[in-house]
Amino acid sequence: MAKPYALVTGASGGIGSAVAEALAERGFNLVLNCRQTDNRAEAVKHAVEAHGREARLVPFDVTDRSAVESALRPLLKEGVDIGVLVNNAGVVRDALLLDQLEDDWAVTVRTTLDGFFNVTKAVLLPMVRRRQGRIINVSSIVGLVGNSGQVSYAAGRAGLIGATRSLSREVASHGITVNAVAPGLIDTPMTHSLADIGHLSPVGRPGTPREVASLIAFLASEEAAYITGQVITIDGGLT
């Protein structure tokens, strides 16, 4: 029997694109979310298809509940079986709190938390009815230990950890697992300016998107059926 689809939000980013490809390698078809279709999104689609899997680009803003529902409802009615959800969409608007603009605070927190709520709620009921599903939320070690100049980012990522733990208890009896991964410094375009501090981790380098993606792919697998409500750090031993 064919594996269900995996929905990855923020799929055109460094971690999101690696996750999409790792899941395609493991036999999943992909629903790829991005804010808008562009060359990066098309490249991810082609990478998934190169593994012989189907890829659907579904652009929408995760903070816009009506846009999320309008994009996903037709897929669900069509019979697209979303068995894995990776909530990966996020933005960074770093500043000391005294300098933080209200709009930057709002977009950072809303992308993480409203995005989680809107997308998860859209696909959760079919998972409950099927009594099977995997939800993996991409948080950050900043949500666990904090970081100067990242109050808004930490607030969103810490909130996502709380949501992960709570939702895992709500849906465990329905065969659905809910976990979070908390990456440290990962070498993506978003963090290239910080690459020179990768040596601060005990392993002496930043992590790669592929390493994060491999962890997420494991959590999406049948082998991870007894793991739920967990926050797994992947930071080279930094925390």
Side-chain angles (χ1 to χ4, degrees), residues 194-236:
L194 303 175
D196 60 342
I197 65 172
H199 67 279
L200 295 178
S201 73
V203 301
R205 63 169 178 85
T208 68
R210 179 68 185 195
E211 288 169 325
V212 178
S214 294
L215 172 58
I216 291 172
F218 168 70
L219 291 173
S221 71
E222 289 301 317
E223 288 81 0
Y226 199 57
I227 301 172
T228 195
Q230 302 306 302
V231 181
I232 303 174
T233 58
I234 178 166
D235 65 357

CSV table of all heavy atoms in Angstrom, one decimal, residues 194-236:
chain,number,residue,atom,x,y,z
A,194,LEU,N,26.1,33.6,10.7
A,194,LEU,CA,26.5,33.1,12.0
A,194,LEU,C,27.4,31.9,11.9
A,194,LEU,O,27.8,31.3,12.9
A,194,LEU,CB,25.3,32.7,12.8
A,194,LEU,CG,24.2,33.8,13.1
A,194,LEU,CD1,23.0,33.2,13.8
A,194,LEU,CD2,24.8,34.9,13.9
A,195,ALA,N,27.8,31.5,10.7
A,195,ALA,CA,28.5,30.3,10.4
A,195,ALA,C,29.8,30.2,11.2
A,195,ALA,O,30.3,29.1,11.5
A,195,ALA,CB,28.7,30.0,8.9
A,196,ASP,N,30.4,31.4,11.4
A,196,ASP,CA,31.7,31.4,12.0
A,196,ASP,C,31.7,31.1,13.5
A,196,ASP,O,32.7,31.0,14.2
A,196,ASP,CB,32.4,32.8,11.8
A,196,ASP,CG,31.6,33.9,12.4
A,196,ASP,OD1,30.4,33.7,12.7
A,196,ASP,OD2,32.2,35.0,12.6
A,197,ILE,N,30.5,30.9,14.1
A,197,ILE,CA,30.4,30.6,15.5
A,197,ILE,C,30.0,29.1,15.7
A,197,ILE,O,29.7,28.6,16.8
A,197,ILE,CB,29.4,31.4,16.3
A,197,ILE,CG1,27.9,31.2,15.8
A,197,ILE,CG2,29.8,32.9,16.2
A,197,ILE,CD1,26.9,31.9,16.6
A,198,GLY,N,30.0,28.4,14.5
A,198,GLY,CA,29.7,26.9,14.6
A,198,GLY,C,30.7,26.2,15.5
A,198,GLY,O,30.3,25.1,16.0
A,199,HIS,N,31.9,26.7,15.6
A,199,HIS,CA,32.9,26.0,16.5
A,199,HIS,C,32.5,26.0,17.9
A,199,HIS,O,33.1,25.2,18.7
A,199,HIS,CB,34.2,26.7,16.3
A,199,HIS,CG,34.3,28.0,16.9
A,199,HIS,ND1,33.8,29.1,16.2
A,199,HIS,CD2,34.7,28.5,18.1
A,199,HIS,CE1,34.0,30.2,16.9
A,199,HIS,NE2,34.5,29.9,18.1
A,200,LEU,N,31.5,26.8,18.3
A,200,LEU,CA,31.1,26.8,19.7
A,200,LEU,C,30.4,25.5,20.2
A,200,LEU,O,30.4,25.2,21.4
A,200,LEU,CB,30.1,28.0,20.0
A,200,LEU,CG,30.7,29.4,19.8
A,200,LEU,CD1,29.7,30.4,20.0
A,200,LEU,CD2,31.9,29.6,20.7
A,201,SER,N,29.9,24.7,19.3
A,201,SER,CA,29.4,23.4,19.6
A,201,SER,C,30.5,22.4,19.9
A,201,SER,O,31.6,22.6,19.3
A,201,SER,CB,28.4,22.9,18.5
A,201,SER,OG,29.2,22.4,17.4
A,202,PRO,N,30.3,21.5,20.8
A,202,PRO,CA,31.4,20.5,21.0
A,202,PRO,C,31.9,19.8,19.8
A,202,PRO,O,33.1,19.4,19.8
A,202,PRO,CB,30.7,19.5,22.0
A,202,PRO,CG,29.7,20.4,22.8
A,202,PRO,CD,29.2,21.3,21.7
A,203,VAL,N,31.1,19.6,18.8
A,203,VAL,CA,31.5,18.9,17.6
A,203,VAL,C,32.3,19.8,16.7
A,203,VAL,O,32.9,19.4,15.7
A,203,VAL,CB,30.4,18.2,16.8
A,203,VAL,CG1,29.7,17.2,17.7
A,203,VAL,CG2,29.4,19.2,16.2
A,204,GLY,N,32.3,21.1,17.0
A,204,GLY,CA,33.2,22.1,16.3
A,204,GLY,C,32.7,22.5,14.9
A,204,GLY,O,33.5,23.0,14.1
A,205,ARG,N,31.4,22.4,14.6
A,205,ARG,CA,30.9,22.9,13.3
A,205,ARG,C,29.4,23.1,13.5
A,205,ARG,O,28.7,22.5,14.4
A,205,ARG,CB,31.2,21.8,12.3
A,205,ARG,CG,30.5,20.5,12.5
A,205,ARG,CD,30.5,19.6,11.3
A,205,ARG,NE,29.9,18.3,11.6
A,205,ARG,CZ,28.6,18.0,11.4
A,205,ARG,NH1,27.8,18.9,11.1
A,205,ARG,NH2,28.2,16.8,11.7
A,206,PRO,N,28.8,23.8,12.5
A,206,PRO,CA,27.3,23.9,12.5
A,206,PRO,C,26.8,22.6,11.9
A,206,PRO,O,27.5,21.8,11.3
A,206,PRO,CB,27.0,25.0,11.5
A,206,PRO,CG,28.2,25.1,10.7
A,206,PRO,CD,29.4,24.7,11.5
A,207,GLY,N,25.5,22.3,12.2
A,207,GLY,CA,24.8,21.1,11.7
A,207,GLY,C,24.4,21.4,10.2
A,207,GLY,O,24.5,22.5,9.7
A,208,THR,N,24.0,20.4,9.6
A,208,THR,CA,23.5,20.5,8.2
A,208,THR,C,22.0,20.3,8.1
A,208,THR,O,21.4,19.5,9.0
A,208,THR,CB,24.2,19.5,7.3
A,208,THR,OG1,23.7,18.1,7.6
A,208,THR,CG2,25.7,19.5,7.4
A,209,PRO,N,21.3,20.9,7.2
A,209,PRO,CA,19.9,20.6,7.0
A,209,PRO,C,19.6,19.1,6.9
A,209,PRO,O,18.6,18.6,7.3
A,209,PRO,CB,19.5,21.4,5.7
A,209,PRO,CG,20.5,22.5,5.7
A,209,PRO,CD,21.8,21.9,6.2
A,210,ARG,N,20.5,18.4,6.2
A,210,ARG,CA,20.2,17.0,6.0
A,210,ARG,C,20.2,16.2,7.3
A,210,ARG,O,19.4,15.3,7.5
A,210,ARG,CB,21.4,16.4,5.1
A,210,ARG,CG,21.2,14.9,4.8
A,210,ARG,CD,20.0,14.6,4.0
A,210,ARG,NE,19.8,13.2,3.8
A,210,ARG,CZ,19.1,12.6,2.9
A,210,ARG,NH1,18.4,13.4,2.1
A,210,ARG,NH2,18.9,11.3,2.9
A,211,GLU,N,21.0,16.6,8.3
A,211,GLU,CA,21.0,16.0,9.6
A,211,GLU,C,19.7,16.2,10.3
A,211,GLU,O,19.2,15.3,10.9
A,211,GLU,CB,22.2,16.5,10.4
A,211,GLU,CG,23.6,15.9,9.9
A,211,GLU,CD,24.8,16.6,10.5
A,211,GLU,OE1,24.7,17.8,10.8
A,211,GLU,OE2,25.8,15.9,10.6
A,212,VAL,N,19.2,17.4,10.2
A,212,VAL,CA,17.9,17.7,10.8
A,212,VAL,C,16.8,16.9,10.1
A,212,VAL,O,15.9,16.3,10.7
A,212,VAL,CB,17.6,19.2,10.8
A,212,VAL,CG1,16.2,19.5,11.4
A,212,VAL,CG2,18.6,20.0,11.5
A,213,ALA,N,16.9,16.9,8.8
A,213,ALA,CA,15.9,16.2,8.0
A,213,ALA,C,15.9,14.7,8.3
A,213,ALA,O,14.8,14.0,8.3
A,213,ALA,CB,16.1,16.4,6.5
A,214,SER,N,17.0,14.1,8.5
A,214,SER,CA,17.1,12.7,8.8
A,214,SER,C,16.4,12.3,10.2
A,214,SER,O,15.7,11.3,10.3
A,214,SER,CB,18.5,12.2,8.9
A,214,SER,OG,19.1,12.3,7.6
A,215,LEU,N,16.5,13.2,11.1
A,215,LEU,CA,15.8,13.1,12.4
A,215,LEU,C,14.3,13.2,12.2
A,215,LEU,O,13.5,12.4,12.7
A,215,LEU,CB,16.3,14.1,13.4
A,215,LEU,CG,15.5,14.2,14.7
A,215,LEU,CD1,15.5,12.9,15.5
A,215,LEU,CD2,16.1,15.3,15.6
A,216,ILE,N,13.9,14.1,11.5
A,216,ILE,CA,12.4,14.3,11.2
A,216,ILE,C,11.9,13.1,10.4
A,216,ILE,O,10.8,12.6,10.7
A,216,ILE,CB,12.2,15.6,10.4
A,216,ILE,CG1,12.5,16.8,11.4
A,216,ILE,CG2,10.8,15.7,9.9
A,216,ILE,CD1,12.5,18.2,10.7
A,217,ALA,N,12.6,12.6,9.5
A,217,ALA,CA,12.2,11.5,8.7
A,217,ALA,C,12.0,10.3,9.6
A,217,ALA,O,11.1,9.5,9.5
A,217,ALA,CB,13.1,11.2,7.6
A,218,PHE,N,12.9,10.1,10.6
A,218,PHE,CA,12.8,9.0,11.5
A,218,PHE,C,11.5,9.2,12.4
A,218,PHE,O,10.7,8.2,12.5
A,218,PHE,CB,14.0,8.9,12.5
A,218,PHE,CG,13.7,8.0,13.6
A,218,PHE,CD1,13.7,6.6,13.4
A,218,PHE,CD2,13.6,8.5,14.9
A,218,PHE,CE1,13.4,5.8,14.5
A,218,PHE,CE2,13.4,7.7,16.0
A,218,PHE,CZ,13.3,6.3,15.8
A,219,LEU,N,11.2,10.4,12.8
A,219,LEU,CA,10.0,10.6,13.6
A,219,LEU,C,8.8,10.4,12.8
A,219,LEU,O,7.7,10.1,13.4
A,219,LEU,CB,10.0,12.0,14.2
A,219,LEU,CG,11.1,12.3,15.3
A,219,LEU,CD1,11.1,13.8,15.7
A,219,LEU,CD2,10.9,11.4,16.5
A,220,ALA,N,8.8,10.5,11.5
A,220,ALA,CA,7.7,10.3,10.6
A,220,ALA,C,7.5,8.8,10.3
A,220,ALA,O,6.5,8.4,9.8
A,220,ALA,CB,7.9,11.0,9.3
A,221,SER,N,8.4,8.0,10.8
A,221,SER,CA,8.4,6.6,10.4
A,221,SER,C,7.6,5.7,11.4
A,221,SER,O,7.3,6.1,12.5
A,221,SER,CB,9.8,6.0,10.3
A,221,SER,OG,10.4,5.9,11.6
A,222,GLU,N,7.3,4.5,11.0
A,222,GLU,CA,6.7,3.5,11.8
A,222,GLU,C,7.5,3.2,13.0
A,222,GLU,O,7.0,2.9,14.1
A,222,GLU,CB,6.3,2.3,11.1
A,222,GLU,CG,5.2,2.5,10.1
A,222,GLU,CD,3.9,2.9,10.7
A,222,GLU,OE1,3.5,2.4,11.8
A,222,GLU,OE2,3.2,3.9,10.2
A,223,GLU,N,8.8,3.2,12.9
A,223,GLU,CA,9.7,2.9,13.9
A,223,GLU,C,9.6,3.8,15.1
A,223,GLU,O,10.1,3.5,16.2
A,223,GLU,CB,11.2,2.9,13.4
A,223,GLU,CG,11.5,1.7,12.6
A,223,GLU,CD,11.1,1.9,11.1
A,223,GLU,OE1,10.5,2.9,10.8
A,223,GLU,OE2,11.3,0.9,10.3
A,224,ALA,N,9.1,5.0,14.9
A,224,ALA,CA,9.0,6.0,16.0
A,224,ALA,C,7.6,6.1,16.6
A,224,ALA,O,7.2,7.0,17.2
A,224,ALA,CB,9.3,7.4,15.4
A,225,ALA,N,6.8,5.0,16.4
A,225,ALA,CA,5.4,5.0,16.9
A,225,ALA,C,5.3,5.1,18.4
A,225,ALA,O,4.2,5.6,18.9
A,225,ALA,CB,4.7,3.7,16.4
A,226,TYR,N,6.3,4.8,19.2
A,226,TYR,CA,6.2,4.9,20.6
A,226,TYR,C,6.9,6.2,21.2
A,226,TYR,O,7.1,6.4,22.4
A,226,TYR,CB,6.8,3.7,21.3
A,226,TYR,CG,6.4,3.4,22.7
A,226,TYR,CD1,5.0,3.3,23.0
A,226,TYR,CD2,7.3,3.3,23.7
A,226,TYR,CE1,4.6,3.0,24.3
A,226,TYR,CE2,6.9,3.1,25.0
A,226,TYR,CZ,5.6,2.9,25.3
A,226,TYR,OH,5.2,2.7,26.6
A,227,ILE,N,7.2,7.1,20.3
A,227,ILE,CA,7.9,8.4,20.7
A,227,ILE,C,6.8,9.5,20.5
A,227,ILE,O,6.4,9.7,19.3
A,227,ILE,CB,9.1,8.7,19.8
A,227,ILE,CG1,10.1,7.5,20.0
A,227,ILE,CG2,9.7,10.0,20.3
A,227,ILE,CD1,11.3,7.7,19.1
A,228,THR,N,6.4,10.1,21.5
A,228,THR,CA,5.5,11.2,21.4
A,228,THR,C,5.6,12.2,22.6
A,228,THR,O,6.1,11.8,23.7
A,228,THR,CB,4.0,10.7,21.3
A,228,THR,OG1,3.2,11.8,20.8
A,228,THR,CG2,3.5,10.2,22.6
A,229,GLY,N,5.3,13.5,22.3
A,229,GLY,CA,5.4,14.5,23.4
A,229,GLY,C,6.9,14.9,23.7
A,229,GLY,O,7.1,15.5,24.7
A,230,GLN,N,7.8,14.5,22.8
A,230,GLN,CA,9.2,14.8,23.1
A,230,GLN,C,9.7,16.0,22.3
A,230,GLN,O,9.2,16.4,21.2
A,230,GLN,CB,10.0,13.6,22.7
A,230,GLN,CG,9.6,12.3,23.4
A,230,GLN,CD,9.6,12.5,24.9
A,230,GLN,OE1,10.6,12.8,25.5
A,230,GLN,NE2,8.4,12.2,25.5
A,231,VAL,N,10.8,16.6,22.9
A,231,VAL,CA,11.5,17.7,22.2
A,231,VAL,C,12.9,17.2,22.1
A,231,VAL,O,13.6,17.0,23.1
A,231,VAL,CB,11.5,19.0,23.0
A,231,VAL,CG1,12.2,20.1,22.3
A,231,VAL,CG2,10.0,19.4,23.3
A,232,ILE,N,13.4,16.9,20.9
A,232,ILE,CA,14.7,16.3,20.6
A,232,ILE,C,15.6,17.4,20.1
A,232,ILE,O,15.4,18.0,19.0
A,232,ILE,CB,14.6,15.2,19.6
A,232,ILE,CG1,13.6,14.1,20.2
A,232,ILE,CG2,15.9,14.5,19.4
A,232,ILE,CD1,13.3,13.0,19.2
A,233,THR,N,16.6,17.7,20.8
A,233,THR,CA,17.6,18.7,20.4
A,233,THR,C,18.6,18.1,19.4
A,233,THR,O,18.9,16.9,19.5
A,233,THR,CB,18.4,19.3,21.6
A,233,THR,OG1,19.1,18.2,22.3
A,233,THR,CG2,17.5,20.0,22.5
A,234,ILE,N,19.0,18.9,18.4
A,234,ILE,CA,20.0,18.4,17.5
A,234,ILE,C,20.9,19.6,17.3
A,234,ILE,O,20.7,20.5,16.4
A,234,ILE,CB,19.4,17.9,16.1
A,234,ILE,CG1,20.4,17.5,15.1
A,234,ILE,CG2,18.3,18.9,15.6
A,234,ILE,CD1,19.9,16.7,14.0
A,235,ASP,N,22.0,19.7,18.1
A,235,ASP,CA,22.8,20.9,18.2
A,235,ASP,C,24.2,20.6,18.5
A,235,ASP,O,25.0,21.5,18.9
A,235,ASP,CB,22.2,21.8,19.3
A,235,ASP,CG,22.3,21.1,20.7
A,235,ASP,OD1,22.8,20.0,20.8
A,235,ASP,OD2,22.0,21.8,21.7
A,236,GLY,N,24.7,19.4,18.1
A,236,GLY,CA,26.1,19.1,18.3
A,236,GLY,C,26.6,19.1,19.8
A,236,GLY,O,27.7,19.3,20.0
